[in-house]
Amino acid sequence: MRILKVVRVFYPAVTCGGLALTSYDIARLLARRGHDVTVFSSDILDRHRTLFGHTVEDEVDGVRVIYFHTVLRYRWDGLQPDLCDYLDRVREFDLIHVYGYRDFLSTLVCSFARRAGVPYVIEPMGMLRPICRSLRKKKVYDRLFGRRLVAGARRVIVTSEQERQEALAWGVLPDQLVVRRNGLDLSEFEKLPEPGAFRRRLGLRATDRLVLYLGRISRKKNVPLLVDAFADLGMHGTILAIVGPDDGDGSREDVLEAIERRRLNGSVVLVGPLVGTERLAAYVDAHVFVLVSESENFGNAVAEAIACGTPVIISERCGIAPLVSGRAGLVIPVERAALTEALRHLLTRDDERREMACRARHLREELSWEEPITLLEDLYEGIVRDDRSATYRRSAESSAAPSARGENIAQMILQGEAP
């Protein structure tokens, strides 16, 4: 199939998190299976930089990528006017898969696709439900564009039952929804870094216990709550490492304020973003990984921690929670006291933590991309097949219409009623 992917940021913009990484994994794995995959994305690299300064067509792991130059940006989105010169290419594709929601690229492409009759699916990546910031602007967008674009999608892809329920509450029709979990490229976890590299980087003692948060420092991730819960723990010889980029929404300032207020300057370390093997080294050296998000459609970082054999503590609002519960970690409500108790539980019960680590390594095999990619292929093929059948029927009806009209006119002539 000829497949177009549309996503506001794409590899190598890895500090954006799941949006860039998930779309990249799926695109290259579909290309490996023989599909012709093209990506429309922006040239945004991180919060401050762009990749090229002009629109560039490139190839990444067998995928054709068009990085549209961003002339006006807001956070991880912006305006890419060069897209207008490429909209006619949308007609060349069998199907379009849009990642994310409420951005310039997807709005224009979906609007054009609806007029051109090209089927598209939307994967909102947890963005349907307005949370955290700009709530009024998001609701205005939904009224003006969003609900029409979602209604025109052949399917809406969600990554967990939690996100499915959120989509239903937002107004997506049940028949539109398809649940497809995210996956991992297991080849990345076959040979993990040797233990100790990340601990040496932080200057930790051999006896120090390490709690890890890895992800964007943003409001919905509740990192200040983690800092306060860690302070309540009051466990000597325990370090909290916060790894990831500042999302620029004020959450990092809240974290620094909490560290100062709770006098944790020697116990909490802000590391900044890590990628590749350095990221894996952090997981490997951690006693426990924590993610207590306010809302998380899946939780890719949780899956990565599990693949590294690290027990996790996550909120019940993470989509991956049903896979974790009772196996590779603890699932808790978004409450400070509950988080403090969960940390105390795993950091003081070594046998239980080691057992969870063992189960996490076995769970890794269940997180492969193999099943989700096969599901996507079947979904795409079904949509394309139905679309071609509908096009054929419309063509047949259209070609039959003149003949029927000709018979009617001939009959009128014979009856002396020629028009």
Side-chain angles (χ1 to χ4, degrees):
M1 289 175 286
R2 294 164 300 173
I3 303 164
L4 174 64
K5 304 279 181 176
V6 181
V7 59
R8 70 180 71 169
V9 285
F10 191 71
Y11 186 89
V14 294
T15 57
C16 174
L19 191 63
L21 293 171
T22 297
S23 57
Y24 165 67
D25 278 346
I26 293 175
R28 65 192 178 92
L29 290 171
L30 285 169
R32 284 183 195 173
R33 294 191 178 201
H35 301 287
D36 184 351
V37 183
T38 298
V39 173
F40 283 3
S41 187
S42 75
D43 64 346
I44 292 173
L45 178 62
D46 55 32
R47 281 190 59 231
H48 306 289
R49 297 177 295 167
T50 55
L51 283 165
F52 306 108
H54 57 279
T55 295
V56 169
E57 296 191 33
D58 200 0
E59 183 170 313
V60 180
D61 290 340
V63 177
R64 186 183 305 107
V65 185
I66 302 173
Y67 296 97
F68 293 105
H69 178 50
T70 304
V71 299
L72 182 66
R73 72 176 288 182
Y74 172 70
R75 301 176 60 78
W76 292 99
D77 193 17
L79 297 180
Q80 296 83 26
D82 287 352
L83 170 64
C84 297
D85 297 331
Y86 287 75
L87 282 175
D88 272 340
R89 292 196 189 182
V90 169
R91 303 178 192 273
E92 302 170 5
F93 298 96
D94 297 316
L95 179 134
I96 304 165
H97 186 154
V98 172
Y99 297 84
Y101 181 62
R102 299 189 191 95
D103 62 81
F104 179 81
L105 289 174
S106 65
T107 302
L108 256 63
V109 171
C110 288
S111 297
F112 185 88
R114 289 176 68 229
R115 293 195 297 272
V118 181
Y120 64 89
V121 300
I122 292 179
E123 185 169 344
M125 307 288 286
M127 298 179 190
L128 272 183
R129 183 167 72 96
I131 58 173
C132 293
R133 58 179 178 264
S134 304
L135 301 185
R136 184 174 299 174
K137 293 178 183 177
K138 291 175 181 177
K139 290 177 181 178
V140 169
Y141 174 92
D142 290 349
R143 284 199 301 270
L144 294 179
F145 307 105
R147 293 193 179 277
R148 187 183 304 116
L149 295 182
V150 172
R154 300 299 173 86
R155 293 292 185 273
V156 176
I157 300 171
V158 294
T159 54
S160 63
E161 179 59 27
Q162 171 186 295
E163 191 182 7
R164 179 179 176 275
Q165 293 301 324
E166 291 177 355
L168 287 171
W170 185 86
V172 180
L173 297 175
D175 291 346
Q176 273 187 293
L177 287 166
V178 174
V179 180
R180 187 226 70 224
R181 66 166 174 83
N182 286 345
L184 292 174
D185 182 355
L186 296 187
S187 64
E188 188 179 9
F189 301 89
E190 288 175 357
K191 185 173 177 55
L192 294 171
E194 290 294 324
F198 185 67
R199 296 176 68 86
R200 286 192 295 272
R201 176 178 183 150
L202 299 185
L204 301 187
R205 298 166 299 188
T207 56
D208 286 336
R209 296 182 180 275
L210 178 61
V211 177
L212 174 69
Y213 167 82
L214 193 151
R216 288 181 295 115
I217 303 176
S218 66
R219 294 206 182 277
K220 82 166 192 172
K221 306 287 187 178
N222 277 328
V223 186
L225 175 71
L226 170 57
V227 173
D228 276 325
F230 177 81
D232 293 343
L233 185 66
M235 187 177 290
H236 181 70
T238 305
I239 302 296
L240 169 61
I242 298 173
V243 177
D246 176 16
D247 207 35
D249 61 358
S251 186
R252 187 176 188 276
E253 287 72 22
D254 292 342
V255 168
L256 292 174
E257 187 277 329
I259 293 171
E260 184 69 26
R261 172 170 42 83
R262 302 304 299 268
R263 300 180 181 178
L264 295 171
N265 291 299
S267 302
V268 179
V269 184
L270 273 68
V271 178
L274 297 177
V275 298
T277 56
E278 289 186 334
R279 161 182 121 268
L280 299 184
Y283 289 126
V284 167
D285 280 355
H287 285 76
V288 60
F289 170 83
V290 181
L291 180 66
V292 285
S293 290
E294 189 69 29
S295 177
E296 199 78 39
N297 65 304
F298 186 71
N300 291 351
V302 180
E304 291 181 345
I306 289 170
C308 291
T310 304
V312 301
I313 298 171
I314 64 173
S315 76
E316 59 192 1
R317 299 175 189 175
C318 292
I320 197 175
L323 277 172
V324 171
S325 184
R327 303 177 70 183
L330 302 177
V331 178
I332 62 170
V334 184
E335 296 173 0
R336 182 165 138 187
L339 178 52
T340 300
E341 182 54 36
L343 285 168
R344 192 182 310 279
H345 185 94
L346 283 187
L347 292 174
T348 58
R349 302 188 183 186
D350 292 345
D351 289 344
E352 186 172 345
R353 191 180 66 255
R354 280 193 288 266
E355 185 179 340
M356 282 186 176
C358 183
R359 289 200 295 262
R361 284 187 285 270
H362 286 99
L363 179 57
R364 175 171 60 188
E365 301 305 316
E366 297 180 31
L367 296 172
S368 161
W369 269 118
E370 183 68 25
E371 178 190 337
I373 293 296
T374 299
L375 186 152
L376 268 186
E377 276 188 312
D378 292 343
L379 175 66
Y380 292 170
E381 288 170 0
I383 292 172
V384 171
R385 183 172 57 248
D386 291 346
D387 188 70
R388 287 173 178 168
S389 297
T391 301
Y392 177 80
R393 285 196 301 272
R394 287 194 298 270
S395 176
E397 291 168 0
S398 175
S399 62
S403 174
R405 175 166 169 76
E407 291 175 3
N408 290 338
I409 292 175
Q411 187 176 16
M412 292 170 70
I413 291 173
L414 289 173
Q415 294 173 350
E417 301 174 358

